[in-house]
Amino acid sequence: MSAIDTLVGLLAGRIDAASLAPRDWDGVISVARAEAMLATLAHHLREADLPPPVAALFADQRAAAQVAKDQALWEAEMARRALAPEGIEFVLLKGTAYAAGGLPCSAGRQIGDLDILVLAHDIRRAENELLEAGWEWVKSDPYDDFYYREHMHELPPLIHKARDRMIDVHHTILPKTHRVTPDALALVGDAVTTASGFAILNREDMACHCAAHMLADGDLQGGLRNLWDFHFLTRDFAAADTGFWGRLDARADLHGLRGAVHRAARLARDLYGAELPSGWDRQDARDVWYRRRLLARDDWGRPTNFMLQQAFYIRSHWMRMPPTMLAKHLWTKWRKR
Amino acid sequence: MRHSARIQVGPVQFRIGSDWRQPIAALETLYAGYPRDDARPADATVRLFAARPWRRWLRPSVHIGGDFVVPDALPLPLSMGLLAAEMGMNLQVALGWRRHLLLHASAVARDGRAVIMSGESGSGKSTLAALLGEGDWRLMGDEFTLVEPASGDALAFPRAVSLKNEAIAEMAARVDAARLGPLLAGTPKGDIRHLIPRADAIAAMHVPARPALILFPRFGGEAAIEPMGEGEAFVRLTEASTNYIALGEAGFAALTRLVRETPAFGITYPDSAAGMALVERLWAEAAR
């Protein structure tokens, strides 16, 4: 069995950690690192029977993830101190939101940049306040800057000059030019507040955003981690609220994300063993390509299946922008190489 | 990958894969005397690979990959494959290791107590450590020194010493040729030749040592010793650490303890003999 299959099997609970030969861990650790899931795996196997060197490495990963989580929440606090005095409300997204909400999927989850969502009419003010509070532009070229402002769902990334941490300020969750236009006003309007006082998306919107981020806005790089988020989020939400799947359906319809959300649910079932209600538990012949893309990694952690990766890369651009714009964009990018 | 090796240096078990036989063969010769546990799972993976299949044979160039990579790192010619392996291993430790506070510093030990030497490349910290390691010191490492957060002890990382330029001749005059690797001439870092640490240093690689001195050597200029305050030593060592920030509070606690409990000095020296004499002198004073 390949290392990536073993990783997924361990996460799904299909494979018992004690059944692995010591050297099987080489590949599992490498692919988990490549998928930014080593600390997630370390949390998942906290109680498992592991070879001592693996147990020690996993303990390191859990401790490091705790520090990283505290640092990410501190960044959120810094953003609040910059924006709250001006009355600019923002909603935390992705990893930082899961951590702020104390959600189980945040255990060991790698958090990269701070992602926040503000109302579109607040975005210029948010930008100014952040610049005054010490964030600055990551050096980029004028075309990229123009492209972000004109067509994207977020400002060009800002980095804090003292803390060296990036912030992505979004005004919606998919590019403006994308074929699908989620209801950004509803996302912000229906956000909920955590015990620590941060706004995060409500349960259904959080699942919608997770699916959109994975399946509608990228080439599935890091997809296994996003799928794990989706699996854990929906599993826990459904356990706490029997009407969750029905409400998720309705909310996905509102945002135009029904296809992405259903596909994410099926992939979570196929890879991580998620249990789905009847209306969701279907088959789709195209899912096989997604599964292959998600598992395209060899035992040394290297990406494999180059053609399939390219296909998903092209697909991500195809969804993001109309054909003439895509042609223009690729032409500009190519000339800059 | 086609060829692979497993190497244990200090607390880290490496798995190194390569598209070519040569770098693996060179590693296996250099690390033949190190303790081996082939059943132990690897903490870190290094990959030496050709960017395109035909580049395995046609003007072969070695790209450095692994669990952690530096974007845009330039490949090296196959003749420098050993250097590529060394760089790949360093990279995994520098970016991935979280168990200890990692200092970019050499270290030697005597009677269970360590002298930690931190400095920029060219400061002579590797050469000093290698030379002292041929006398009555145990070489702990020429590149990384690990500090255990719970105990404050220094741990060794005695990889094969990377001798550069003038240091090569200086060491070659003193040690058995069997302990030297092949000469890698004209690398991006100058001429390089590896020195296998003494067998007793390798055998003791898991034995911790209590930090006794922190030195910041500077090569060139008249011999001089300058006592350094805790604050300056602290700041310099944060800059010499690749994981200080990632360790958060544990890193801060380990480093403050290190600089509070360990006297620090800047030393300037005109040649190796003078440098070694300064280390011995400070050691004698610290031991008193």
Side-chain angles (χ1 to χ4, degrees), chain A residues 22-23 25-27 29-30 33-34 51 53-54 56-57 60-61 64 67-68 71 299-303, chain B residues 1 4 6 15-17 38-47 67-68 96 98-99 245-248:
Chain A
R23 289 274 288 270
W25 288 101
D26 283 355
I29 290 166
S30 268
R33 274 209 167 107
V54 176
L57 184 71
D60 299 343
Q61 300 303 316
V67 173
Q71 288 173 341
D299 292 3
W300 286 84
R302 290 176 296 185
Chain B
M1 299 190 76
S4 69
R6 305 176 78 78
R15 170 175 72 144
I16 301 121
D38 284 352
R40 178 180 158 181
D43 298 293
T45 290
V46 175
R47 303 187 305 255
D67 294 335
F68 295 88
R98 293 287 179 271
R99 195 167 306 159
I245 289 176
L247 290 181

Side-chain angles (χ1 to χ4, degrees), chain A residues 95-118:
Chain A
T96 315
Y98 306 152
L103 301 173
C105 71
S106 71
R109 189 195 188 277
Q110 184 168 309
I111 305 174
D113 308 339
L114 172 62
D115 294 289
I116 65 170
L117 175 67
V118 301

Side-chain angles (χ1 to χ4, degrees), chain B residues 2-288:
Chain B
R2 266 187 186 70
H3 307 280
S4 69
R6 305 176 78 78
I7 293 174
Q8 197 183 145
V9 183
V12 188
Q13 172 92 336
F14 292 96
R15 170 175 72 144
I16 301 121
S18 168
D19 281 342
W20 304 269
R21 174 77 199 132
Q22 295 92 315
I24 297 299
L27 279 175
E28 276 172 348
T29 309
L30 271 188
Y31 287 91
Y34 282 63
R36 273 182 85 137
D37 179 359
D38 284 352
R40 178 180 158 181
D43 298 293
T45 290
V46 175
R47 303 187 305 255
L48 306 176
F49 63 98
R52 298 273 177 271
W54 59 86
R55 291 300 289 271
R56 289 220 309 273
W57 301 282
L58 195 69
R59 288 190 296 122
S61 77
V62 185
H63 285 258
I64 303 166
D67 294 335
F68 295 88
V69 293
V70 174
D72 313 323
L74 290 176
L76 292 167
L78 183 54
S79 60
M80 297 174 194
L82 188 54
L83 176 61
E86 175 199 312
M87 289 167 73
M89 289 163 72
N90 286 349
L91 191 64
Q92 305 316 312
V93 177
L95 300 183
W97 195 249
R98 293 287 179 271
R99 195 167 306 159
H100 308 104
L101 177 69
L102 195 69
L103 299 177
H104 185 219
S106 67
V108 291
R110 189 191 272 169
D111 307 331
R113 301 176 71 210
V115 178
I116 298 170
M117 293 178 277
S118 170
E120 309 272 302
S121 149
S123 66
K125 66 178 191 309
S126 301
T127 313
L128 272 182
L131 286 166
L132 290 165
E134 295 306 313
D136 45 6
W137 295 84
R138 156 161 81 106
L139 175 69
M140 295 182 72
D142 75 317
E143 178 76 5
F144 294 126
T145 301
L146 311 170
V147 177
E148 160 103 59
S151 65
D153 284 342
L155 290 179
F157 187 80
R159 58 163 207 173
V161 176
S162 188
L163 301 169
K164 296 191 189 78
N165 304 320
E166 295 81 18
I168 297 173
E170 194 161 6
M171 289 308 300
R174 291 165 196 248
V175 305
D176 182 354
R179 283 180 52 209
L180 292 169
L183 175 69
L184 310 173
T187 78
K189 300 177 174 186
D191 291 351
I192 288 184
R193 200 165 178 192
H194 291 93
L195 168 71
I196 302 168
R198 271 185 358 203
D200 52 343
I202 294 169
M205 75 181 184
H206 296 304
V207 181
R210 200 83 199 147
L213 273 179
I214 304 168
L215 302 180
F216 295 90
R218 200 170 63 205
F219 178 72
E222 259 177 65
I225 294 175
E226 191 188 341
M228 189 179 290
E230 290 170 10
E232 186 177 348
F234 177 87
V235 171
R236 283 193 184 216
L237 290 176
T238 60
E239 287 166 2
S241 174
T242 52
N243 68 1
Y244 168 72
I245 289 176
L247 290 181
E249 199 175 343
F252 176 78
L255 197 52
T256 34
R257 176 174 175 187
L258 179 68
V259 299
R260 284 200 173 131
E261 295 182 353
T262 322
F265 300 89
I267 59 169
T268 308
Y269 61 101
D271 54 55
S272 301
M276 289 162 72
L278 289 178
V279 175
E280 293 286 358
R281 190 175 128 200
L282 286 167
W283 175 260
E285 283 169 18
R288 253 193 288 135

Side-chain angles (χ1 to χ4, degrees), chain A residues 45-221:
Chain A
L45 299 180
R46 202 173 23 226
E47 312 284 335
D49 183 11
L50 302 170
V54 176
L57 184 71
F58 280 8
D60 299 343
Q61 300 303 316
R62 287 192 295 269
Q66 182 60 47
V67 173
K69 190 199 253 189
D70 292 344
Q71 288 173 341
L73 288 172
W74 180 248
E75 274 311 294
E77 176 59 27
M78 292 295 95
R80 171 154 70 184
R81 290 184 194 179
L83 300 177
E86 298 303 314
I88 301 168
E89 291 182 15
F90 66 89
V91 180
L92 295 176
L93 298 175
K94 298 193 256 186
T96 315
Y98 306 152
L103 301 173
C105 71
S106 71
R109 189 195 188 277
Q110 184 168 309
I111 305 174
D113 308 339
L114 172 62
D115 294 289
I116 65 170
L117 175 67
V118 301
L119 287 169
H121 66 75
D122 277 340
I123 200 144
R124 294 278 169 242
R125 285 202 305 140
E127 181 179 355
N128 285 336
E129 293 308 322
L130 291 171
L131 288 171
E132 277 184 25
W135 277 269
E136 53 192 25
W137 301 119
V138 177
K139 298 264 178 274
S140 70
D141 73 38
Y143 175 75
D144 287 348
D145 193 74
F146 162 82
Y147 185 85
Y148 263 97
R149 287 170 189 282
E150 202 62 24
H151 303 306
M152 288 295 280
H153 50 309
E154 59 193 328
L155 291 174
L158 291 157
I159 193 160
H160 195 275
K161 59 185 164 203
R163 293 188 307 279
D164 208 27
R165 302 274 303 207
M166 303 251 271
I167 186 169
D168 288 330
V169 184
H170 303 245
H171 53 80
T172 182
I173 56 172
L174 285 177
K176 286 195 244 179
T177 49
H178 200 283
R179 277 140 215 252
V180 172
T181 308
D183 185 341
L185 206 57
L187 290 171
V188 177
D190 296 336
V192 296
T193 308
T194 68
S196 50
F198 285 108
I200 58 175
L201 295 176
N202 69 31
R203 289 172 170 173
E204 294 78 25
D205 283 348
M206 200 178 265
C208 285
H209 179 217
C210 185
H213 179 57
M214 171 172 56
L215 291 168
D217 188 29
D219 56 4
L220 265 80
Q221 260 193 56

